[in-house]
Amino acid sequence: MIRIGIDIGGTFTDVVAAGGGQVRITKVPSTRADPSAAVRKVLDEVLPEWGVPFGDVARFVHGTTVATNAVLERRGARVGLLATDGFTDVLEIGRQNRHQVYDLILKPETPGFLAPGALRRGVVEAVEPDGRVRIPLDEESLRRSVESLVAEGVEAIAICFLYSHVNPVHERVAAEYIRGRHPDIIVSLSCDIDPAFREYERTVVTCFDAYIKGGLERYLENMESDLARVGIPASLQIMQSRGGVCGAKVARQRPIRLFLSGPAAGVVGACEVGRSVGCENVITVDIGGTSSDIALVAQGQALVRSEGWLDGYRIRVPMVDVNSIGAGGGSIAWIDVGGGLRVGPQSAGAQPGPACYGRGGTQATVTDASVVLGLLDPGYFAGGSLQLDPALAADAVRSCVAEPLGMSLHEAALGIHRVVNAQMAEGIRLVSISRGVDPREFALMPFGGAGGLHAAALARELDMRTIIVPRAPGVLCASGLLSAKTEHEASAAFLSKFADTDPSEILAVCDRLAGDCARLMAIEGISAEQVQTQCYADVCYMGQSHYLEVPIAMDDPEHLIERAYESFCALHAQVYGHSTRSPARFVNLRVVQRSDNQAASDQSGATRSEPGAAKGVRQVLFEDQPGFVPAQIFQRDTLIPGQLIIGPAIIEQADTTTPIEPGWQARVTDNGVLILRRHA
């Protein structure tokens, strides 16, 4: 049985093929204009070169950026919005929040571009907060509004009526009318996408779903056709934003849940690596060519937040809690108007890429600085598949940074590294110190193509003493796809004071939601015996406007309410630094089902009996050293369990490079993971 994971990043597309006791990995340049072109290259060139028998592929999992890029590049559908008459401007009004209140030219903080005012229509209807119909749906009003939007050329219609999360009858009638009269129009219903209270948040997420649904459906259809063309029998699975995978058929129904699927896969893979070495508290930093994605894993579990941010807009979709910053190997160094050195967020990407790629890039990037410092071997970048030009790297750093700032070439290269490391360290503080977590009590886990290059500098900045480097850190997002569980989630509004709630009411709602999840699992071909079910509640104190998710003890109905309250108070103290014994209320109920039916990992430790010897020596300039020092160069796949390497040294492999700075040492675990610790 062969399993394949493919993750598309901003610069490279990562590939992992596992089966028969072997794991094959590679990177191919991403094709931003057509992301599926990189996947076709893998199917048509990479896998045949590896000799992968397509008929034996039992699992094919994909992490996609299509949903995210459709928003970032404004390439979604022309969307119309149907709302309760008198409430068509909810999308524009929002919450009246301005995060930068004195910036008068700041872009709008509500995503009005999703359905501009000219494409919003009101429908006469009204449902009470308790679900009773006060004004029946006016069919003539519905007809006029829909036909008007169709005449305006909309490709998708989002429907968001007041209190439809309590009683969706009017939304379903409207959808039935549209599908009957205009079957080519995409329809998104708020009662299906986000059945929870707060009209603005529900409207936003429904409009985003309509905006990306058409493009994502075409993308998935094309990929399924490509799999069928080459003879792969496995069904296509997609990583979701909360860290579980689902089949393409389910993904088409709720594409809004595919935002940031690649970073989520990386965190899932990091959890597996941490558990394999007995470390369940880690801070992950995924450094690619364009960005760095930072997350905190506590007690072996990635933190999942109930809503996330995309392009400055808050979206109520469950997501693995990842903090993304524009700092990566391809980030461009530049001088601001005050003469200060800045790095990113602009990136050279894959085309033309850093200057050292020799593809026409002339601006200095972090990768160019790494070449100048001796951290990268120009002849062994990406396993030797891409030859770097040190002269072009030096020219770019010299002309773009060194000469304008009046410093030497090597000072400029060190400056680029120090600036980008400071940005990453600040990102780590945001997911740890700002939340009351001491990073010194966690291990740092770098991955991504550039993760190892910056690990020791980040650990030194944050006084972290342990670094865990996975066996294939450059493709951990793709590896994470293979270890992710199939997962489905269903939620419902449940507004009730703790004091007034009967546990049987909670049990009844959760049982219904579990049935919804089970139906989705059945689409995946997964039976109830293979599923684990967990129930959660969103809870807040009376008068609060923000809530926290706590587990529900379904196995202890008698004390269900009491235990939920205690969990909420404890979590409130952890997140906000205080809690009270004030009255609380339920807001939403949620059921998550996960299937643990994946095959065991094919990864194993090294099989060599003799320790790998250094294959050479290279002069390297580390940040905290006065000058270049000789560093022994080791090939990662020649190292054996228990082997100890004392810095200064460089460990090279096809997907990344890991420097061992002076004062650090690295030991290889039984399963081939590198553990770096300070020894001086």
Side-chain angles (χ1 to χ4, degrees), residues 6 8 35-40 43 60-64 66 216-230 232 234 236-238 248 252:
I6 299 181
I8 297 180
S36 59
V39 179
R40 284 193 293 274
L43 295 175
F60 192 99
V61 196
H62 181 42
T64 178
V66 171
L216 190 86
E217 184 163 336
R218 290 189 294 272
Y219 176 80
L220 294 179
E221 286 177 351
N222 291 339
M223 185 167 293
E224 286 182 316
S225 296
D226 286 334
L227 295 182
R229 173 177 58 83
V230 300
I232 290 180
L236 175 63
Q237 290 186 305
I238 309 296
R252 290 189 182 93

Side-chain angles (χ1 to χ4, degrees), residues 439-493:
R440 295 174 296 183
E441 298 175 358
F442 285 66
L444 181 67
M445 187 181 297
F447 56 97
L453 286 170
H454 302 271
L458 293 174
R460 185 174 61 250
E461 173 74 15
L462 296 160
D463 199 24
M464 302 173 72
R465 305 195 66 83
T466 302
I467 300 172
I468 301 172
V469 185
R471 290 191 64 205
V475 295
L476 190 65
C477 288
S479 299
L481 293 170
L482 299 184
S483 59
K485 302 175 182 179
T486 301
E487 179 179 287
H488 292 296
E489 173 257 343
S491 61

Side-chain angles (χ1 to χ4, degrees), residues 563-617:
R563 291 176 62 177
Y565 183 78
E566 295 299 329
S567 296
F568 168 67
C569 290
L571 183 59
H572 197 282
Q574 176 185 335
V575 174
Y576 298 114
H578 68 92
S579 65
T580 72
R581 307 302 293 184
S582 301
R585 65 169 179 164
F586 293 101
V587 179
N588 302 304
L589 295 177
R590 183 174 299 106
V591 169
V592 178
Q593 286 191 344
R594 300 180 180 90
S595 173
D596 196 13
N597 63 332
Q598 275 45 312
S601 171
D602 291 86
Q603 297 193 31
S604 59
T607 58
R608 292 168 52 93
S609 58
E610 295 295 326
K615 64 178 184 179
V617 176

